[in-house]
Amino acid sequence: MNYTLHQLQVFLKIAQHQSITKASEELHLTQPAVSIQLKKFQDQFSIPLTEVVGRQLFITEFGKEIAEAAEKIINEVYAINYKTLSYKGKLTGRLNISVVSTGKYVIPYFLSGFMDQHRGVDLVMDVTNKSRVVESLENNEVDFAMVSVLPRKLKVNTVELMENKLYFVGSSKLNLKGKASKRQLFEELPLIFREPGSATRNAMEAFLAKIRLPSQKKIELTSNEAVKQAVIAGLGCSIMPLIGIKNELKNNDLQIIPVTGLPISTTWNLIWLKSKALSPAAEAFLEYLEKEKKGIIADVFSWIDEY
């Protein structure tokens, strides 16, 4: 046996997701690179680790046992690194955070100072849609989650970070003659939605239901950046979080279109399970937020008050 730590890490991610595609995304590797590592790892065993049924990848019972062993080995390696640093008097450990996709414009600013102060802490951050964020929290896969809508079925502790406003936006090239009515905006213009499971999608659908104007033309995209680029290009309009369109407003690529009942206002929250036993690194991060949160908002996000 001559497998590497990297191969163990790759196989563990494949086993967790039962998908080479998802493993490659989380590891920031190409799919061919992940497939090559899987093959090299499999070549060292006479018993199959995976099997493909139809087009779906499955982990064999033997593969599941190897994945469990791989996780233990990887955790022991991390423990060695952390113990080395702790002997030097440094805070060590890992922060695992799951963040809804729009939160990527917010959470890095609340993390950067903390990570700079504590070089012995590793950060693992998964940016995905709300459904997956809540799932990872419920399965105790992460220390914290960042959401703008609190999950109803979970008992969580929360720290409020900052306000989240959503506006109706269109391309700056869109010429609205006079004051357009809601019916003109929402029935005549194509509307661009996020995918099901997105908190932004839920907010947009709730608003449309409230004003009782169903969209006649719908475009669905799977990321905030894709929606933003589509709106800039003139494919349609959308309800988008202000936090993600600062530069586009400044560069006059997008315009906020006034609509009665908007903006929708929610709050960015950092949440964790009440039953969660937080690590020293996680506890230290909460202490950091308590001391620095107001200053970070004032320094980085004061521009939001202009809208």
Side-chain angles (χ1 to χ4, degrees), residues 185-240:
L185 292 175
F186 291 97
E187 289 193 351
E188 295 180 13
L189 295 176
L191 294 184
I192 304 175
F193 289 74
R194 284 285 307 278
E195 79 285 1
S198 160
T200 302
R201 163 75 171 255
N202 293 342
M204 190 167 175
E205 289 182 331
F207 179 73
L208 290 173
K210 184 178 179 180
I211 62 175
R212 299 179 181 178
L213 288 176
S215 168
Q216 299 302 314
K217 301 177 182 179
K218 181 188 295 185
I219 300 170
E220 184 177 298
L221 300 174
T222 58
S223 78
N224 233 47
E225 286 299 315
V227 171
K228 182 163 60 178
Q229 294 304 318
V231 174
I232 291 172
L235 277 176
C237 297
S238 188
I239 293 176
M240 299 192 69

Side-chain angles (χ1 to χ4, degrees), residues 87-287:
Y87 269 93
K88 296 179 180 179
K90 296 181 179 180
L91 179 68
T92 62
R94 268 189 297 175
L95 270 182
N96 287 279
I97 303 178
S98 188
V99 181
V100 293
S101 57
T102 312
K104 66 178 176 286
Y105 302 110
V106 176
I107 193 63
Y109 296 99
F110 290 95
L111 283 163
S112 59
F114 175 79
M115 297 301 294
D116 187 54
Q117 289 178 17
H118 303 290
R119 300 297 179 90
V121 175
D122 294 332
L123 173 65
V124 179
M125 186 167 69
D126 180 32
V127 179
T128 182
N129 66 29
K130 184 195 172 188
S131 296
R132 175 57 190 148
V133 168
V134 173
E135 181 184 342
S136 64
L137 189 70
E138 186 175 15
N139 294 338
N140 198 30
E141 297 172 5
V142 295
D143 300 305
F144 300 111
M146 184 180 172
V147 295
S148 59
V149 179
L150 297 176
R152 295 180 181 179
K153 297 181 180 180
L154 298 181
K155 294 180 179 180
V156 297
N157 293 316
T158 67
V159 171
E160 290 188 0
L161 295 180
M162 57 181 284
E163 188 178 22
N164 177 39
K165 294 181 179 179
L166 296 92
Y167 288 86
F168 189 70
V169 298
S171 169
S172 59
K173 298 175 183 177
L174 181 63
N175 184 18
L176 298 174
K177 297 180 180 179
K179 187 177 180 181
S181 68
K182 283 183 181 177
R183 185 167 297 277
Q184 288 175 306
L185 292 175
F186 291 97
E187 289 193 351
E188 295 180 13
L189 295 176
L191 294 184
I192 304 175
F193 289 74
R194 284 285 307 278
E195 79 285 1
S198 160
T200 302
R201 163 75 171 255
N202 293 342
M204 190 167 175
E205 289 182 331
F207 179 73
L208 290 173
K210 184 178 179 180
I211 62 175
R212 299 179 181 178
L213 288 176
S215 168
Q216 299 302 314
K217 301 177 182 179
K218 181 188 295 185
I219 300 170
E220 184 177 298
L221 300 174
T222 58
S223 78
N224 233 47
E225 286 299 315
V227 171
K228 182 163 60 178
Q229 294 304 318
V231 174
I232 291 172
L235 277 176
C237 297
S238 188
I239 293 176
M240 299 192 69
L242 178 64
I243 194 70
I245 57 174
K246 175 185 177 182
N247 292 333
E248 288 72 22
L249 291 172
K250 183 178 179 180
N251 295 334
N252 199 33
D253 294 321
L254 291 176
Q255 62 173 312
I256 291 176
I257 302 170
V259 173
T260 303
L262 294 178
I264 300 167
S265 182
T266 61
T267 302
W268 290 115
N269 292 278
L270 191 75
I271 64 175
W272 66 100
L273 293 175
K274 286 189 173 182
S275 57
K276 178 75 174 177
L278 294 178
S279 67
E283 293 279 9
F285 181 53
L286 291 178
E287 292 174 9

Side-chain angles (χ1 to χ4, degrees), residues 19-45:
S19 167
I20 289 175
T21 300
K22 291 181 180 179
S24 66
E25 290 172 355
E26 187 163 335
L27 293 166
H28 304 291
L29 297 171
T30 64
Q31 291 184 39
V34 170
S35 297
I36 288 169
Q37 292 302 316
L38 175 61
K39 184 179 185 305
K40 288 181 177 179
F41 190 58
Q42 174 65 78
D43 288 345
Q44 298 178 72
F45 300 93

